[in-house]
Amino acid sequence: MTTSPTPPATRTKVLLVDDHDLIRKGLRHAFERDRQFEVVGEAATAAEGVRQAGALQPDVVIMDLRLPDGSGLEATRALRKSSATMGIVVLTMYAGDDQLFGALEAGASAFVPKTAPADEVVAAARHAASSPSAFTAADLAEAMKRRLAPSGPQLSPREGQVLRLLADGMSVAGIAKQLFVSESTAKTHISKLYEKLGAANRAQALMTALRLGLLEAPDAPKF
């Protein structure tokens, strides 16, 4: 004879904050299938979500990013200010890097796109309950790489040499001689450099390079 698993003595209390009834119903169903969780409340606005969180003291809040009366990020900041131990999962249709880092900076525990399966929301809630201050998101590593990647065109070492020689006023023939290449090869390097900088000529290339910090401005003459 088999017996059903015994539910945990204390279930993880969850508050759902989303302005769409169908999404709240779907999330409630997903959490109710997992015996670890108990949905203790629902809210359709940021203000009501914050109010219910204060009254119900849930272990985890599932917070929609966009709500009729304001931003879910502002509500997240308010919740995090009032509690360091409450898990907060930000749920959104707009899962770009700006939204992800906004959730991180607001103090969320996890960030999940609404396109993700409901099981991922439940898994994020489980993480948020146990580690509310440790942020997690499926795309976090790639988003960090994108944020830390240098902005602007990236020049090869050879293109950097060509840029500095152009700044020194060298002609194509002079650049070719300096680099020990043919004039045709030098022209190819210059053309690729112009393309990366979005420039049509030497003057535009040098002005763009100065603006992007690829060249240092010449020292002012000393008298």
Side-chain angles (χ1 to χ4, degrees):
M1 178 178 177
T2 59
T3 59
S4 58
T6 303
T10 303
R11 291 189 176 187
T12 301
K13 297 182 295 182
V14 178
L15 170 65
L16 306 175
V17 184
D18 195 293
D19 58 327
H20 293 95
D21 289 341
L22 286 177
I23 290 177
R24 292 200 310 273
K25 287 178 182 177
L27 289 173
R28 175 180 280 276
H29 179 66
F31 279 109
E32 287 177 345
R33 285 183 319 196
D34 191 312
R35 300 171 69 85
Q36 176 186 339
F37 296 97
E38 176 189 5
V39 177
V40 294
E42 297 183 17
T45 66
E48 180 64 11
V50 172
R51 188 193 70 77
Q52 285 206 39
L56 299 171
Q57 291 297 302
D59 301 299
V60 178
V61 176
I62 309 298
M63 179 69 69
D64 188 14
L65 185 66
R66 294 194 177 186
L67 293 161
D69 61 337
S71 165
L73 294 184
E74 290 303 320
T76 296
R77 288 189 185 93
L79 293 178
R80 179 56 68 226
K81 186 176 180 180
S82 66
S83 172
T85 58
M86 184 181 293
I88 307 170
V89 177
V90 169
L91 194 63
T92 178
M93 286 294 294
Y94 310 93
D97 288 356
D98 288 345
Q99 289 77 22
L100 187 153
F101 287 113
L104 170 61
E105 290 159 6
S109 314
F111 178 87
V112 183
K114 286 186 176 179
T115 54
D119 288 348
E120 286 191 23
V121 182
V122 174
R126 188 173 288 110
H127 160 84
S130 62
S131 304
S133 61
F135 183 78
T136 185
D139 195 37
L140 181 58
E142 291 302 316
M144 289 296 292
K145 287 180 184 177
R146 289 190 290 270
R147 170 165 281 201
L148 295 174
S151 59
Q154 301 304 298
L155 305 184
S156 68
R158 176 66 85 187
E159 289 163 347
Q161 284 182 298
V162 171
L163 177 62
R164 289 188 290 274
L165 294 174
L166 287 172
D168 289 339
M170 279 197 179
S171 64
V172 173
I175 291 173
K177 185 177 180 181
Q178 184 74 23
L179 298 179
F180 302 102
V181 297
S182 67
E183 288 192 24
S184 175
T185 299
K187 286 179 180 178
T188 299
H189 288 317
I190 293 170
S191 176
K192 288 182 177 178
L193 176 65
Y194 286 0
E195 183 179 349
K196 281 191 175 182
L197 295 176
N201 53 50
R202 182 190 298 242
Q204 289 182 7
L206 295 180
M207 289 298 295
T208 300
L210 283 169
R211 178 170 54 81
L212 295 174
L214 299 173
L215 278 177
E216 292 185 4
D219 293 333
K222 297 178 181 179
F223 299 100

